[in-house]
């Protein structure tokens, strides 16, 4: 069927309309232009589309009033041409959008650009067939699957086709986003307003929504590109603020720390070293950008996909991926760990000692993954630098992180009420999680601070690892672990230790839980290292003994009980070698801990064979650590003389409650190795425990 409108007719139509329609009737011209551009996008070839856009460019260059009046409408009608496969068509459409932003009424174009940004779609639109599948037909699909032997062969092309479709949608959406953001960057400085913060607030709210949508669908590298473009806009939009003069310090000298102050006072300090006063409007704009950046950083680090498909740079097999399947990241895994804690451990805490020689460990694999994401660290640094330029101080970030949020339940009426634009800097909140990330990044750049474990880090860890909903997110754990290590090694140390024992124990238990449950091997190690370091720094030995007993008695994680047994051994070795009056070099320590340290194994393994095997696998770490500890007590002359570890009554109790029933259980499992209720796993562990029990028995005989 022959087209009724040709490219020639379309060009003549828009040229004639530009000449004949009165200048004041620009709406009529917009209507005619919209019709022809929509038709051209749907029915014309890429070359014909380019001809039409070139003709429009010529018309607008000779009709300046018309170009100014219809620019607001051009933005949205030109966007579809950014999907063109023709580079010339694409370039011409981009040029026309830029011209509209340059020549059009800035407020009108501003509104259209924000509307277009808000309506950007990053996900493929469902087809009618997709919608039909969602409504029903599950039984039909299941029936086909049950009778088909080629499901795998069919699925691969479908997945590839879906992946290519996603890529194309993302490509088009990114082109539109960058064109619209470029237009917004042109329009923004053209808007003359008494209160520019009102326009800025609207812009930032829109961009935050766009970024949230993009993170949901895009790969990390694409998200990085979106975020870098947004940061360029922030650079353009930030107000001129006088920067405080940098002090020159002697080597090793700490800069004076400002007192913790309110938001307005904190921002006002920007002008304290300058004669020029900062206006409330400039302070409000700065605060809006600070808040925006803190929320952007939270979304970026918590929600960005770690992997999306095989083309991603992050999609690379680690050296141990086959040996350790749990390391293989799920395609839907989200969250980017900057590595503040791990890097600090390597550079400060255990400098040149953090790597185990002789092989690649799981922690080494994590380091390799982070090394491949240096661009993530660079983006975080850029965001932190912008916040510092805008006057955001570490003291306020710490205050935000320490403050417990009071969640107010909004009623239905309040939800339907429009929230007015903020009128002062104090009305603009920072993202709490974003503030945590900014604080961590700040301390990597300014390694001088008075942050203490108590009360500062205790409040931070309670807020983010206990009370907040993000307590299991790896980036949050990373930041909190880093701040804790920083407080111990470059901050104020323990600070003011809580008077209540429960408060101190709760702090330790928070990180002990992380050491047992974190998905990251490095986070687990660093959390355990933090617990042991803080515990050792407590001056009261009774408190250290109380933590050991509390963990052995009440902790649900056997791996933590194993570690606390090691801590106990270290305490005893140190105390007996120093020949001090420590409680750990007296019989009191065994009297206090004996019942929880050497539990009644008969009670533990009193169920069925299957239940006993499950219990053994669960309790193995603690059991083998305890047997090794008892072996140390028997072999150490200092332990025997100071602790009375070979006290007859104590030895008989350990033998009856712990050693004999454990040896019987281990012997039974070994005799049924690989058959019955033992599943053939943990053969090596069984042999180790049996060997240690034999050594203990031989040592007892030698002593007797």
């Amino acid at each position: 069927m022959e087209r009724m409108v040709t490219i020639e007719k379309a060009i003549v139509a828009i040229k004639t309309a530009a000449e004949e329609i009165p200048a004041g009737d620009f709406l009529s011209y917009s209507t005619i232009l919209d019709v022809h551009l929509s038709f051209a996008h749907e029915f014309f070839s890429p070359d014909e589309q380019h001809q039409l856009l070139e003709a429009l460019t010529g018309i607008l260059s000779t009709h300046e009033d018309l170009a100014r009046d219809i620019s607001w409408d051009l933005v949205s009608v030109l966007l579809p041409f950014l999907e063109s496969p023709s580079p010339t068509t694409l370039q011409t459409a981009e040029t026309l959008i830029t011209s509209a932003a340059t020549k059009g009424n800035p407020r009108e174009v501003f509104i259209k650009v924000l509307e277009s940004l808000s309506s950007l779609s990053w996900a493929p639109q469902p087809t009618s067939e997709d919608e039909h599948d969602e409504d029903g037909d599950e039984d039909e699909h299941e029936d086909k699957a049950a009778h088909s032997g080629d499901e795998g062969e069919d699925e691969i092309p479908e997945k590839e086709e879906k992946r290519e479709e996603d890529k194309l949608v993302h490509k088009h959406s990114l082109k539109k986003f960058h064109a619209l953001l470029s237009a917004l960057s042109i329009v923004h400085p053209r808007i003359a307003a008494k209160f520019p913060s009102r326009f800025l607030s609207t812009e930032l709210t829109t961009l935050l929504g766009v970024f949230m949508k993009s993170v949901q669908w895009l790969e990390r590298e694409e998200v990085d590109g979106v975020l870098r473009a947004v940061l360029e806009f922030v650079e353009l939009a930030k107000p001129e603020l006088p920067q405080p003069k940098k002090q020159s310090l002697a080597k090793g000298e700490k800069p004076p720390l400002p007192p913790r102050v309110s938001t307005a006072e904190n921002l006002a300090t920007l002008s304290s070293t300058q004669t020029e006063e900062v206006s409330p409007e400039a302070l409000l704009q700065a605060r809006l950008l600070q808040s925006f950046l803190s929320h952007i950083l939270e979304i970026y680090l918590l929600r960005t996909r770690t992997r999306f498909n095989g083309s991603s740079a992050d999609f690379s097999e680690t050296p141990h991926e086959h040996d350790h399947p749990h390391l293989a990241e799920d395609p839907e895994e989200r969250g980017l760990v900057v590595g503040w804690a791990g890097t600090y451990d390597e550079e400060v805490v255990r400098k040149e000692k953090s790597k185990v020689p002789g092989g690649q460990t799981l922690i080494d694999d994590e380091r390799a993954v982070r090394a491949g994401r240096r661009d993530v660290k660079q983006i975080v640094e850029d965001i932190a630098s912008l916040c510092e330029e805008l006057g955001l101080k570490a003291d306020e970030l710490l205050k935000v992180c320490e403050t417990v949020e009071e969640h107010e339940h909004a009623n239905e009426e309040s939800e339907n009420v429009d929230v007015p634009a903020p009128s002062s800097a104090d009305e603009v909140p920072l993202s709490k999680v974003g503030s945590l990330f900014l604080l961590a990044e700040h301390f990597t750049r300014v390694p001088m601070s008075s942050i203490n474990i108590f009360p500062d880090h205790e409040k931070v860890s309670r807020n983010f690892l206990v009370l907040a909903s993000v307590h299991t997110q790896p980036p949050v754990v990373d930041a909190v672990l880093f701040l804790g290590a920083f407080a111990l090694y470059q901050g104020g140390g323990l600070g003011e230790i809580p008077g209540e024992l429960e408060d101190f124990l709760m702090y330790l238990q928070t990180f002990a839980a992380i050491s047992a449950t974190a998905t990251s091997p490095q986070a687990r190690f660093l959390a355990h290292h933090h617990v042991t370091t803080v515990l050792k720094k407590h001056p009261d030995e009774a408190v250290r003994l109380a933590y050991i007993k509390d963990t052995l008695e009440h902790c649900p994680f056997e791996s933590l009980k194993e570690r606390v047994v090691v801590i106990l051994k270290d305490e005893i070795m140190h105390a007996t070698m120093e020949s001090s009056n420590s409680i750990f070099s007296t019989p009191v320590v065994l009297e206090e801990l004996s019942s929880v340290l050497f539990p009644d194994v008969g009670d533990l393994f009193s169920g069925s064979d299957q239940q006993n095997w499950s219990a053994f696998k669960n309790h193995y770490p603690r059991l083998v650590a305890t047997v090794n500890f008892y072996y140390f007590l028997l072999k150490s002359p200092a332990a025997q003389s100071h602790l009375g570890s070979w006290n007859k009554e104590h030895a008989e109790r350990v033998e009856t409650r712990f050693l004999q029933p454990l040896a019987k259980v281990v012997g039974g499992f070994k005799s049924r190795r690989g058959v019955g209720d033992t599943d053939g796993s943990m053969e090596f562990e069984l042999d180790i425990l049996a060997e240690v029990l034999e050594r203990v028995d031989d040592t007892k005989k030698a002593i007797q």
Side-chain angles (χ1 to χ4, degrees), residues 501 505 535 540-552 564 568 571-572 583-584 586 588-593 596:
L501 175 61
L505 295 182
L535 187 63
D540 191 340
E541 291 182 334
V543 171
R544 305 207 295 269
L545 182 62
Y547 171 75
I548 294 172
K549 183 177 182 180
D550 182 72
T551 303
L552 289 172
V564 88
L568 173 62
E571 289 278 10
I572 292 174
I583 192 173
F584 291 100
T586 68
V588 173
V589 66
L590 292 183
E591 293 173 5
E592 186 71 18
L593 298 177
V596 293

Side-chain angles (χ1 to χ4, degrees), residues 23-24 26 29-30 59-75 99-109 190:
F26 61 88
Y29 188 78
S30 287
I59 293 170
L60 297 179
S61 65
T62 56
H63 296 73
E64 293 186 1
D65 291 344
L66 182 64
R68 182 189 64 249
D69 292 338
I70 69 169
S71 287
W72 62 276
D73 190 38
L74 280 178
V75 174
S99 177
T102 305
K103 298 178 180 179
N105 181 299
R107 297 196 181 205
E108 292 176 348
V109 176
R190 293 185 61 217

Side-chain angles (χ1 to χ4, degrees), residues 344-364:
Y344 192 74
D345 178 56
E346 296 162 23
E347 297 179 353
V348 178
V349 178
R350 297 182 300 146
K351 191 174 183 180
E352 300 178 357
K353 298 179 181 179
S354 63
K355 296 183 180 180
V356 179
Q360 187 86 353
T361 67
L362 296 180
I363 293 178
D364 291 327

